[in-house]
Amino acid sequence: MSRRTRKPLPKRNAGDRPKGARPYRGSQAERAPGHRLGGKPAKRLAAPAARAPKPVVAAPVEDKAALLPTKVQTVTVTADENNMRVDRFLEARFPGLSFSHIQRIVRKGELRVNGKRADSKDRLEEGQSVRIPPLKLDTPRATAHLSEAGAKTLAALKEMTIYEDDDVLVLNKPAGLAVQGGSGTTRHIDQMLEVMRDAKGQKPRLVHRLDKETSGCLLVAKTRFAASALTGSFRHRSARKIYWALVAGVPKPKQGRISTYLAKEESEEDSIMRIAEHGEEGASHAITYYAVVETSAQKLAWVSLKPVTGRTHQLRAHMAHIDHAIVGDPKYFNKENWQLPGGIQNRLHLLARRIVIPHPRGGVIDATAPLPPHMLQSWNLLGLEHDRFDPIEHAPEE
C-alpha cells in the first residue's frame, strides 16, 4: 500500500548471496528433503519450545527471616562463589538482608575473611573462610499509598508480566511502548517501574533493551544482586534470545548466518545503523543467525532470528542488508514499489519471542511471549501456523 522512498542499503547483483551472509551447517539445498539442522529428520509437527515454555527451574525461596543466622557462623566460599564481591556474596546467601545492613557490618569489621577485615568490594576466593555475625531483617518501612494513576500503572505492569519471583521480572512489552525515556517520550517502562519500589526504596532495574516498536520478552531485575548476575550473563553471552519476524520475500539459503559491521549514521531527521567496513571508526561487529520457518507464496516469509551480538537495530539492519527487510519497518524497509498485502497492518512485525538465561540463584529462566495482536492478525490472514517447529533452535551460539 505504501511506497518507500528511503535510501536503500548497498545494492547487490541479481543472484548474488548477500555479503556477510552464509548458510550454517549447510543450506536447505545441501540436505535431503525433510532434513533439519543437527542431522536428524524433522517432524513437521514436532512440539515446539514455544508451545510449552518452561518456567524458571529454581528452588522456592524460603522464609527470608529463617535464612538469617542468629549467632556467629563461619562459612566457606564455594567454587560458584569464587571471585564474587563480598556484598554480592551476602546478598546471594541471605536474600532478606538489606543493602544498608550489609554495608554496616562490613564497615564495623564484624565480617571477616580468613580472620581479616574486608571491604564490601573485595573479591572472594574459593575455599576462604568468611565469619558472619548475627543478622536480622530491617523493619520495613510502610509502603506509600499509590495514587489512582500509580495503581493503574501497577495493574498495567502486572498485565504484561510473563514471569515474576523475588529477583526477576519478565514483561511482555507491547509494541509502541518505549523502554526508556527520550525526546518527547513521557511514558516508558523505566518510568512505570517507579511504582514497584520496595520497602527499602529499591526500584527494579532494566538489564537489556528492546526497540519501541518491538514487542515481547523484556527482562527486569528486582534486586541489586539479580541486576549484577543478569548483566553478567548478557555480557558473557550466556543469554539466548530468539526473535520472530515477517519479512519481504523468501531468504536464500533458507538458513544462514549474517556477519557484518554496523555503524550509526546521523542525519538531521533521524539516525540509522548502516553496514560499515572492518576498522571503520564507530563500527561494531554484528552476527545474526536466521531460519525460514514458513512462507506465504514467495512474497512473504516468517523467519526466526537468533542474534549472537546485541547491536542497536541489528536484526532490522541485517534483514534489510540481505534484501529481506522486516514488514512495517519505518527505518529499514528499502524495497521500492512493494505493495503491502491487504489486511496486514503497516507496523513493525518483530517479536522478542523467547529468552533463556541462567537464574541468579540457580536454574534457568525460560520465558516465551505470544504474538502481538497485529502480528497474530497477519499470521491468521496468511495461514501461518504459529506453533510450527522452529529450526533456529539448532543454530550455533556464536
Side-chain angles (χ1 to χ4, degrees):
M1 297 294 183
S2 60
R3 173 171 176 162
R4 300 296 180 184
T5 57
R6 187 172 190 88
K7 182 181 178 181
L9 276 80
K11 298 286 187 181
R12 299 180 291 108
N13 295 325
D16 284 353
R17 176 177 293 165
K19 182 181 179 182
R22 60 179 175 82
Y24 61 82
R25 298 187 184 175
S27 68
Q28 289 288 79
E30 294 168 340
R31 291 192 296 275
H35 206 265
R36 65 177 170 83
L37 299 178
K40 298 178 181 179
K43 295 180 180 179
R44 295 295 289 173
L45 297 180
R51 178 181 285 175
K54 297 178 182 178
V56 64
V57 183
V61 178
E62 303 172 43
D63 179 65
K64 292 179 180 180
L67 292 172
L68 301 179
T70 56
K71 59 184 180 180
V72 174
Q73 64 170 272
T74 299
V75 299
T76 302
V77 178
T78 66
D80 289 340
E81 294 164 334
N82 185 54
N83 202 38
M84 188 178 282
R85 281 175 35 162
V86 168
D87 52 359
R88 306 296 187 215
F89 169 82
L90 289 171
E91 283 186 329
R93 287 261 183 162
F94 310 108
L97 202 59
S98 72
F99 180 73
S100 59
H101 193 26
I102 290 173
Q103 297 300 313
R104 185 163 59 250
I105 63 175
V106 172
R107 185 176 63 252
K108 289 183 176 180
E110 296 175 358
L111 180 138
R112 302 266 173 162
V113 178
N114 283 355
K116 299 179 181 178
R117 292 177 69 114
D119 187 82
S120 60
K121 294 183 176 60
D122 287 349
R123 301 280 177 173
L124 296 171
E125 296 178 8
E126 180 184 357
Q128 286 183 324
S129 296
V130 182
R131 175 195 181 275
I132 299 172
L135 304 173
K136 65 177 182 179
L137 284 170
D138 289 355
T139 303
R141 299 195 299 268
T143 304
H145 177 69
L146 287 175
S147 64
E148 183 178 349
K152 287 182 178 178
T153 298
L154 184 60
L157 287 170
K158 295 299 181 185
E159 183 70 20
M160 295 178 207
T161 300
I162 299 172
Y163 173 80
E164 182 177 15
D165 63 24
D166 285 353
D167 295 287
V168 179
L169 180 68
V170 183
L171 300 175
N172 177 21
K173 187 192 82 66
L177 179 61
V179 172
Q180 288 183 298
S183 177
T185 302
T186 55
R187 181 175 173 81
H188 49 86
I189 295 290
D190 196 37
Q191 172 259 330
M192 294 173 71
L193 291 172
E194 289 286 346
V195 301
M196 291 186 67
R197 286 190 180 273
D198 63 16
K200 306 184 200 65
Q202 291 190 66
K203 170 190 160 188
R205 300 162 174 80
L206 299 166
V207 291
H208 75 125
R209 312 286 183 268
L210 292 178
D211 295 341
K212 181 178 178 179
E213 297 305 326
T214 302
S215 63
C217 296
L218 181 69
L219 194 64
V220 178
K222 294 173 68 177
T223 62
R224 289 186 183 88
F225 168 71
S228 176
L230 295 172
T231 300
S233 291
F234 279 107
R235 186 169 57 249
H236 300 303
R237 299 183 182 173
S238 303
R240 183 156 56 98
K241 295 177 287 182
I242 293 174
Y243 290 75
W244 282 2
L246 187 68
V247 304
V250 179
K252 294 180 181 179
K254 287 191 173 182
Q255 297 165 338
R257 177 180 185 267
I258 307 169
S259 176
T260 72
Y261 285 82
L262 295 174
K264 182 178 285 189
E265 184 176 279
E266 300 279 2
S267 68
E268 292 183 5
E269 299 176 353
D270 206 354
S271 64
I272 192 170
M273 300 302 290
R274 61 174 177 80
I275 305 301
E277 297 296 329
H278 182 205
E280 187 175 331
E281 184 178 358
S284 299
H285 193 206
I287 300 172
T288 302
Y289 286 93
Y290 73 86
V292 175
V293 184
E294 197 173 0
T295 66
S296 177
Q298 291 299 306
K299 187 173 180 66
L300 295 164
W302 160 19
V303 296
S304 189
L305 304 162
K306 182 188 284 188
V308 175
T309 52
R311 312 304 178 199
T312 301
H313 297 175
Q314 175 177 319
L315 302 179
R316 297 163 65 182
H318 269 175
M319 294 314 293
H321 171 60
I322 66 169
D323 201 30
H324 295 286
I326 298 174
V327 170
D329 192 332
K331 284 180 179 282
Y332 297 91
F333 200 96
N334 56 353
K335 301 181 80 66
E336 296 289 339
N337 301 318
W338 191 84
Q339 297 295 314
L340 192 69
I344 293 180
Q345 297 182 47
N346 191 21
R347 300 181 63 188
L348 182 67
H349 282 60
L350 180 62
L351 166 69
R353 172 65 173 176
R354 185 179 176 201
I355 187 165
V356 182
I357 190 170
H359 192 284
R361 300 191 190 278
V364 175
I365 301 165
D366 189 345
T368 302
L371 288 166
H374 71 284
M375 289 180 68
L376 181 59
Q377 179 187 42
S378 299
W379 259 238
N380 290 336
L381 284 168
L382 298 170
L384 302 177
E385 302 174 23
H386 55 78
D387 59 352
R388 184 177 287 277
F389 171 76
D390 189 346
I392 204 70
E393 289 294 321
H394 300 279
E397 299 295 332
E398 57 184 38

